[in-house]
Amino acid sequence: MLTWKDIIGFTVNGNPKPNNRVEKTELEWANLLTPEQFRITRQKGTERPHSGDFCSSYQAGKYACVCCDTPLFDSSIKFESGTGWPSFTQPIKVNAIKYSKDTSYGMIRVEVMCNTCDAHLGHIFPDGPEPSGLRYCINSESITMKNEETNE
């Protein structure tokens, strides 16, 4: 189980190696994604709070990167944080997520990205529920749901 100490370690010492890499040009990404998905995942945007499709959805399944389809989070570790964005306590695999220090907007945060394609997903904070204490605050536009029953 990852802890805040592990996350800070990744930002300082480097991220775990992904299983594979997906790389495309900005034009290829723009042609693959909706304008809002492109703005959030490739230009590090943020959706308005309480506006995303997955903010209050709790159906069983796995959440994957909207850009490269890499599995990122399981619905069993999703929780209601009250922040207005889907929140998770752990990634599916340690190497699914990439972490980077973010000093934009006059504050210090940790950005989370897909470790396979570098898509911006959101940020992580040390104010989540026990036992990990982590809160992955994720934009709905950066993920897609893979339903467990239909695998779609």
Side-chain angles (χ1 to χ4, degrees), residues 2 7 11 32 64 72 77 83-84 87 103-104 125 132 139 142 147 150:
L2 291 172
I7 303 308
T11 67
L32 178 69
L72 301 172
I77 48 87
T83 62
S87 297
T103 58
S104 63
F125 302 94
S132 73
N139 291 289
S142 66
N147 187 295
T150 61

Side-chain angles (χ1 to χ4, degrees), residues 29-94:
W29 287 124
N31 288 331
L32 178 69
L33 304 167
T34 69
E36 185 69 349
Q37 289 169 335
F38 182 81
R39 183 184 73 79
I40 289 171
T41 62
R42 308 322 300 179
Q43 298 175 328
K44 300 182 186 289
T46 301
E47 64 198 14
R48 289 184 339 273
H50 304 285
S51 67
D53 289 343
F54 299 121
C55 188
S56 58
S57 171
Y58 290 91
Q59 76 180 68
K62 299 202 180 340
Y63 293 89
C65 177
V66 73
C67 295
C68 69
D69 212 33
T70 296
L72 301 172
F73 301 102
D74 189 278
S75 63
S76 66
I77 48 87
K78 186 173 189 275
F79 69 99
E80 174 54 56
S81 66
T83 62
W85 289 275
S87 297
F88 303 88
T89 59
Q90 293 284 305
I92 283 181
K93 293 171 52 177
V94 171

Side-chain angles (χ1 to χ4, degrees), residues 2 5-6 10 13 15 23 37 40 64 83 102 111 120:
L2 291 172
K5 184 177 178 180
D6 297 320
F10 292 143
N13 302 314
N15 288 287
E23 296 182 16
Q37 289 169 335
I40 289 171
T83 62
D102 177 1
E111 177 188 8
H120 171 75

